[in-house]
Amino acid sequence: MEKDIGKVLIAEQQIKEKVKELGQRITKDYEGKSLILIGLLKGSVCFMADLMREINLPLYTDYMVASSYGNDTVSSGIVNIKKDVSADIRGMHVIIVEDIIDSGRTLHYMAEYLKSKKCSSVEICSLLSKPSRREIEVDAKYIGFEIPDEFVVGYGLDYAEKYRNLPYIGVLKPSVYSKNP
Ligand code: IMP
Ligand code: MG
């Protein structure tokens, strides 16, 4: 697995510190409010698991499955909801937890969709963002790291469903996906 990684972009320790900082900000911002974290599967799994433990408040969790990607490294642009929230989120303060904002299409769609469910507020917390790739503006309150336009894997992020279990964020060698159309 490691042989497919060109370089480590964000080390395990850097992720840990950033997640702690985001958790502390959210703890301050949501004191006294009914909070629900909604993780987008599967990419947010590592981030969600670590982030919720850095938030020192009572909270709810739920998950949604959205897809705009096949096994490719470019977005199809179409967002589908494959699994909706199970919880009744009316009146709640929602934070959507995501691995990365790329074109912005997924989070734009999901945020609008959740807002239509009459919650009190909807904010976005994404570990990574690639600002240079944005096609639709997304107003994300919490961003861990802004990264350049390189395809990254690890800490939940995949290429063709692999590499999610790497403990750091690494740049995949382009040879890995160019020989695997
Ligand atoms: P968007 O709708 O274009 O913003 O796409 C967001 C989704 O694309 C993320 O949830 C990821 O699943 C996927 N994605 C975008 N960039 C990367 C990357 O560099 N590595 C792995 N997945 C990515
Ligand atoms: Mg994803």
Side-chain angles (χ1 to χ4, degrees):
M1 195 164 58
E2 254 90 17
K3 71 176 188 335
D4 295 341
I5 305 302
K7 67 166 186 263
V8 176
L9 193 65
I10 309 169
E12 215 176 329
Q13 188 57 31
Q14 279 175 282
I15 298 174
K16 206 175 165 159
E17 283 161 22
K18 186 62 78 176
V19 172
K20 192 173 184 129
E21 182 191 313
L22 290 169
Q24 286 170 348
R25 275 179 60 197
I26 292 170
T27 302
K28 271 208 193 100
D29 294 349
Y30 287 84
E31 169 102 71
K33 294 180 176 168
S34 62
L35 173 63
I36 182 162
L37 304 180
I38 299 181
L40 303 189
L41 296 175
K42 307 169 201 169
S44 72
V45 160
C46 297
F47 183 38
M48 180 83 162
D50 288 342
L51 181 68
M52 70 167 88
R53 285 176 287 179
E54 297 293 349
I55 302 174
N56 188 17
L57 295 173
L59 56 78
Y60 296 87
T61 60
D62 205 341
Y63 297 90
M64 291 179 78
V65 179
S67 70
S68 65
Y69 276 70
N71 276 350
D72 211 339
T73 58
V74 283
S75 174
S76 65
I78 304 156
V79 181
N80 279 308
I81 294 180
K82 291 189 171 173
K83 185 216 165 286
D84 205 343
V85 274
S86 325
D88 180 3
I89 59 171
R90 271 176 299 177
M92 299 197 73
H93 294 272
V94 172
I95 299 179
I96 307 172
V97 180
E98 175 62 315
D99 52 358
I100 188 164
I101 314 175
D102 187 34
S103 71
R105 290 182 186 280
T106 306
L107 277 171
H108 174 81
Y109 185 86
M110 298 309 263
E112 291 306 310
Y113 175 74
L114 288 169
K115 278 175 196 164
S116 75
K117 292 194 177 248
K118 298 190 169 69
C119 20
S120 292
S121 67
V122 177
E123 299 290 354
I124 289 165
C125 180
S126 180
L127 179 70
L128 306 174
S129 172
K130 289 183 196 169
S132 65
R133 298 257 309 166
R134 210 69 90 244
E135 290 167 25
I136 296 187
E137 208 193 312
V138 174
D139 187 15
K141 188 168 184 183
Y142 308 98
I143 300 270
F145 302 92
E146 293 198 334
I147 62 167
D149 181 12
E150 288 179 295
F151 197 80
V152 291
V153 293
Y155 196 68
L157 290 106
D158 73 306
Y159 170 65
E161 296 297 331
K162 287 191 293 186
Y163 311 101
R164 294 192 195 274
N165 56 324
L166 287 172
Y168 53 82
I169 305 283
V171 179
L172 200 59
K173 285 182 186 163
S175 59
V176 177
Y177 45 86
S178 55
K179 72 178 178 213
N180 187 12

